[in-house]
Amino acid sequence: MDTAPGLPAIRHWADAVRFTGLITQELRKTTGIRPHMLNHDRAVDRDRTLGRLAEIAKIGALDNGGVCRLALSEEETHARIRCLKCAESIGCESFVDPIGNLFMRWTPPGATSQRPVLVGSHLDSQPVGGNFDGVLGVIAALECIEVLAKHPGSVATPVEVAIWCNEEGARFNPTTMGSAVHAGHLQLDDALAVKAADGMAVGEALAKSLASFAASDITLAPRPLCGAYAAYVELHIEQGPILEDQGVAIGVVTDVQGLAQYRVSVDGVAGHAGAVPMERRADALSSARTLMDAIDQTLRDLHGLRYTIGRFELAPGSINTIASSASFTLDVRHPDRIVLEDAMARVEAALTNARAERLIYQTPVPFDKEITEAIAASAAKRGFSWRRMVSGAIHDAAHVAALCPSGMIFVPCRDGISHNENEFCDPEAVVQGAQVLADTVFALAARPER
C-alpha cells in the first residue's frame, strides 16, 4: 500500500498499525483531520481493535500486501480458530450450524432474554483480497463483547458474534452462501454439494475445517438453521467512493440493492486450429462472445443497472485447438426490484440458445428503520458525520433481515477500492466504525424483549 510522504514504507496492514501515530500526524498536516477523543463511557479499545486486525491480516498474507483466505481453506480456518479463541477468552460459548456459520454467545448475568442481538460479518476473502472486507466487522464485533463484558449490568440480552461461511463466493458459488442457507434462502443439501474448481465439495471442505477446530480443542455446540434473534447489525467498509468523496465518517445503510447471478454455458466442436476453415467451425468462444454482446445490447439502457462478467472459462484450453465449450458468469444488480426483474427477463431471453443456470436471486432488501435510527443516533452522539445510503454490494445482512430486524454501518475505504490488495481503511475510520457499532449494540441489547 502507498504511504504519505515522509512515512516509512508500509507493505502490509500489520505495518500500518505500528505506524498509527505517524499516520495520524500526517493526516493532521495534509487534511486537517483530527482523531475524535472518545472520552465517553463504553469506549472501544483502539489498540486492541487495530492489533487484532493486524493479527488476522497475517493469516493468508500475500507478498503484495493483500490476503488470500478462501472459504473453508486452511487459512480461513486458522483465522476462525483465532477469533474463536478470542471469544472464549471473553467468556463466550460457541456454536456452529450445519453449513459452517459460527456463533459466539456472551450472556450477561441475570439475562432476561434468550434471543440474542447478533453482530458480525465474514473472514473469507477474494483470491487477491484486502484486509478489511468482512474481517473488520468480525473484529469490531469481538470488541463489542469486550466492552459489554466491562459493563455486564447495563444489558439484559445476550449478544452473539457471527462469522458467516463463504460470504465471498470466490471458492464456492454462490456468494453469501452461509447466511443464505441459515435464513432458508438456499437449501442445505444443494449448498453442501457445490464444488470448487479443484473438485472439492463444500461438505468435504467443511468437514476438514471442523476437524481442525476439534484438533485445536475448540468445542462447538450445534446451532439449528433459521435461528431466533432480536436484531442483527453488521459493520463493513463501503467498498465504494461515496463516503470518502463527501468526507463523511459513517454510512447508515438503508437498503441493499438486489442481485441476480448466472452461470452460462455454450458448446462447440473441438478441431485443429490450422486445418478447420473459419466458415466450417463451431467455435464455442465465438458463440459466447455473441451472447455477451447480446447481453450488453439488451441491458445498456437500464439506468443505474450494474452488470459484470467476472469469470470466463474455455475447454479444452489448448493454444491450437478450437474451443469445444465456453462458460461465463454474469452478475446483475439494481436497487429497484422492478428494474432488476426487467433486466433478468431480458438476460434470460437473450440466453435462449445457451444453458443458463440462475445461481442466486436476491431481491432488494430494506433494512429495519428502528435499527437504522439507532445507528444514526449512535454516530450523532459521538459527533461523527453520517449519511444514509444504499449498499451496492450484497451482504450477509440482506439474508439475516428475513430472520430479524437488521441494519448495516459503512465506513470509508481509500479510493473506494475493495476486492483488491490495495484495499485500505484508515485506522481512525476503523475505530469510529467499531465505536458506532458498539454503541448501537448496547442500545439494542438494553431494549426490553419484544
Side-chain angles (χ1 to χ4, degrees):
M1 60 185 71
D2 298 330
T3 57
L7 291 182
I10 296 175
R11 296 190 63 192
H12 200 271
W13 165 244
D15 298 324
V17 172
R18 291 195 291 271
F19 297 122
T20 297
L22 292 173
I23 292 171
T24 300
Q25 294 171 21
E26 191 65 26
L27 282 170
R28 286 175 173 170
K29 289 188 294 183
T30 60
T31 69
I33 296 173
R34 284 170 168 73
H36 289 271
M37 301 304 295
L38 298 180
N39 293 325
H40 305 267
D41 191 18
R42 303 170 182 166
V44 299
D45 187 308
R46 178 190 186 93
D47 291 341
R48 181 170 57 213
T49 302
L50 297 177
R52 282 177 174 166
L53 268 175
E55 185 177 354
I56 299 299
K58 296 175 184 177
I59 303 173
L62 302 174
D63 290 341
N64 60 9
V67 67
C68 180
R69 278 194 308 268
L70 300 179
L72 299 175
S73 64
E74 290 184 11
E75 293 80 9
E76 197 227 8
T77 297
H78 183 190
R80 288 175 142 220
I81 289 171
R82 185 70 193 95
C83 290
L84 285 164
K85 294 285 189 182
C86 286
E88 186 179 82
S89 71
I90 311 170
C92 293
E93 181 184 4
S94 298
F95 303 82
V96 63
D97 75 1
I99 194 59
N101 298 312
L102 301 177
F103 305 88
M104 291 145 276
R105 173 182 283 223
W106 175 83
T107 303
T112 59
S113 171
Q114 290 302 309
R115 293 190 305 150
V117 172
L118 199 60
V119 56
S121 195
H122 62 97
L123 291 175
D124 64 313
S125 78
Q126 292 290 319
V128 183
N131 291 301
F132 302 90
D133 180 359
V135 64
L136 170 61
V138 173
I139 296 304
L142 287 170
E143 184 60 23
C144 288
I145 302 294
E146 294 275 12
V147 177
L148 281 163
K150 291 184 178 180
H151 304 274
S154 58
V155 297
T157 300
V159 176
E160 286 189 355
V161 176
I163 303 178
W164 302 108
C165 183
N166 189 34
E167 190 275 350
E168 295 290 356
R171 185 183 183 195
F172 303 105
N173 289 324
T175 185
T176 61
M177 176 184 284
S179 57
V181 171
H182 191 78
H185 296 159
L186 179 64
Q187 292 298 310
L188 173 63
D189 289 345
D190 291 342
L192 292 173
V194 170
K195 292 186 177 181
D198 63 4
M200 179 173 287
V202 170
E204 181 183 356
L206 177 57
K208 291 179 65 175
S209 184
L210 293 176
S212 295
F213 293 152
S216 300
D217 296 322
I218 291 174
T219 301
L220 297 171
R223 166 66 59 85
L225 300 176
C226 299
Y229 309 106
Y232 176 67
V233 188
E234 181 172 351
L235 172 65
H236 209 281
I237 57 171
E238 180 195 348
Q239 300 181 288
I242 295 172
L243 293 176
E244 184 183 53
D245 286 352
Q246 296 184 359
V248 175
I250 298 294
V252 179
V253 184
T254 58
D255 305 81
V256 174
Q257 69 177 348
L259 163 72
Q261 291 180 333
Y262 297 87
R263 182 185 294 114
V264 183
S265 303
V266 292
D267 294 326
V269 177
H272 195 287
V276 181
M278 299 301 291
E279 66 274 11
R280 296 288 300 275
R281 297 184 179 197
D283 187 343
L285 172 59
S286 295
S287 298
R289 288 171 56 192
T290 299
L291 289 173
M292 288 188 286
D293 286 342
I295 291 169
D296 189 55
Q297 289 294 327
T298 193
L299 296 182
R300 63 173 49 184
D301 67 330
L302 293 177
H303 179 70
L305 189 77
R306 292 167 185 165
Y307 56 98
T308 304
I309 293 172
R311 181 180 297 171
F312 192 96
E313 297 174 345
L314 291 176
S318 172
I319 193 171
N320 57 0
T321 303
I322 299 165
S324 60
S325 68
S327 65
F328 60 89
T329 59
L330 175 65
D331 180 299
V332 185
R333 304 180 189 229
H334 198 278
D336 186 294
R337 179 184 60 82
I338 294 174
V339 177
L340 179 61
E341 291 182 353
D342 181 14
M344 293 167 61
R346 295 186 189 196
V347 165
E348 291 167 15
L351 297 177
T352 52
N353 294 325
R355 295 190 307 280
E357 175 189 3
R358 188 191 295 173
L359 301 173
I360 190 171
Y361 169 50
Q362 173 66 59
T363 60
V365 177
F367 284 136
D368 182 81
K369 291 183 178 179
E370 190 170 340
I371 304 290
T372 59
E373 289 303 320
I375 295 168
S378 296
K381 287 178 182 178
R382 292 284 172 173
F384 302 149
S385 58
W386 61 276
R387 59 155 289 167
R388 302 182 195 277
M389 61 193 308
V390 175
S391 173
I394 191 74
H395 293 285
D396 293 307
H399 292 294
V400 186
L403 300 177
C404 64
S406 299
M408 288 192 74
I409 302 164
F410 278 172
V411 289
C413 53
R414 187 171 60 192
D415 297 327
I417 292 173
S418 184
H419 285 196
N420 184 309
E421 67 272 20
N422 292 314
E423 177 183 283
F424 184 77
C425 184
D426 183 83
E428 195 63 26
V430 168
V431 176
Q432 289 177 348
Q435 188 63 64
V436 172
L437 181 69
D439 291 346
T440 303
V441 169
F442 259 103
L444 296 176
R447 298 185 307 180
E449 184 171 14
R450 305 183 177 193

